[in-house]
Amino acid sequence: MAGNGDIQWCFSQVKGTLEDDVTEADIISCVEFNHDGDLLATGDKGGRVVIFQRDPVSKNSIPRRGEYNVYSTFQSHEPEFDYLKSLEIEEKINKIRWLKRKNPAHFLLSTNDKTIKLWKVSERDKRVEGYNTKEENGTIRDPACITSLRVPTIKPMELMVEASPRRIFANAHTYHINSISVNSDQETYLSADDLRINLWHLEITDQSFNIVDIKPTNMEELTEVITAAEFHPAECNVLVYSSSKGTIRLCDMRSAALCDQHSKLFEEPEDPTNRSFFSEIISSISDVKLSNSGRYMISRDYLSVKVWDLQMETKPIECYPVHEYLRSKLCSLYENDCIFDKFECCWSGNDSAIMTGSYNNFFRVFDRTTKRDLTLEAARDIAKPKTLLKPRKVCTGGKRKKDEISVDCLDFNKKILHTAWHPSENVVAVAATNNLFLFQDKL
């Protein structure tokens, strides 16, 4: 994978309808590649999971292309009602996490606000014919009619992809689940809500172990909530979680079963010159991701992405402004609630680059080696394969150049919250409302 400053990104594909009036249920709420990048899953607000499979021709063609076809679609969660609290529980998929593949089937975890499900996705291309005790349509035969024994035969059939729920992990969270993360041991996983993190075993659905609890005895004293949590990619005893106060805590499960006492606290001291009414809101961390190597992590707050070295707690080693031009617009962003948008971030497969989203269907790519950054747009008007993406520029005042867009013309209803980067190639997936865009490097 080349350093990103040298990458020219081009359009590969777009999935989803073209209509302007998008139904709420079709809005994509998470995007996730599996471990080899051959499958890509999206979840939406309607509780559906759509899995795309890499087109085998595109993978092996020269130059290779990042093209995906629909592989399987299933309804993962349904809307529910909590009668005790008179609360509707949305079916919206908050997160999807793939398990590493151990056999021909694929497994993934999906969660809404309350319930986590483990799905098995398997293929069937053969069927058995010639049963002794039942007809081909499945009805049981009268034993008196069975006069001879037949040897059943296996016949080829059209490929069917089946998704079946293997485990349902419910009733463990009082608050909304914001994160799930599979441990590197591939046997346990964590789920986090606003105030607690639970540890589960993938085989045990009726009990989980509460490892972090930040709930105060008196809820009126509540000052922060958990916003994201993730296991270390290689050390199964280490996890990190971020908070609305702009801190990240690293916990080591070897030192204590209850991780209320963190081992490390990553926090950037506040610059008093930037202090404002909005300081607390914009310092809240909406996403944290450990690097593939496990040495670094990135955190996304409202205006920037920061890179932290796990060996250094005092300050981030790199800081990339995502849309600094919005600092003067915080007042109106507060009024239209955009200031509470939760942008995610992700690493490239070799940790040399970072990607995160912005408004106006813009997304940002930062190259850590060259320190160059790009603003790209997920737009329908470039929807021709191999079309090069033109870097976009936002101007804040004064005279606008030909290719620039004024900060006052940005569409805040079009936001890219969810992005994913292929684990070993420069292929990225970007969710823009109800459309999934795929881009790749121009080789």
Side-chain angles (χ1 to χ4, degrees), residues 109 114-119 165-173 187-189 191 198-209:
L109 288 167
K114 297 285 177 198
T115 306
I116 304 153
K117 295 186 181 182
L118 174 69
W119 289 89
R166 299 313 299 261
R167 307 262 185 284
I168 294 176
F169 307 88
N171 308 325
H173 284 278
E187 286 182 10
T188 54
Y189 74 91
S191 59
N198 291 335
L199 180 68
W200 299 84
H201 194 286
L202 282 159
E203 299 293 329
I204 302 164
T205 56
D206 56 355
Q207 60 186 54
S208 62
F209 189 68

Side-chain angles (χ1 to χ4, degrees), residues 309-327:
D309 186 322
L310 289 191
Q311 307 302 326
M312 187 167 104
E313 298 165 62
T314 46
K315 59 175 196 287
I317 53 168
E318 294 157 37
C319 182
Y320 301 99
V322 176
H323 36 218
E324 190 56 36
Y325 46 79
L326 295 182
R327 198 177 279 278

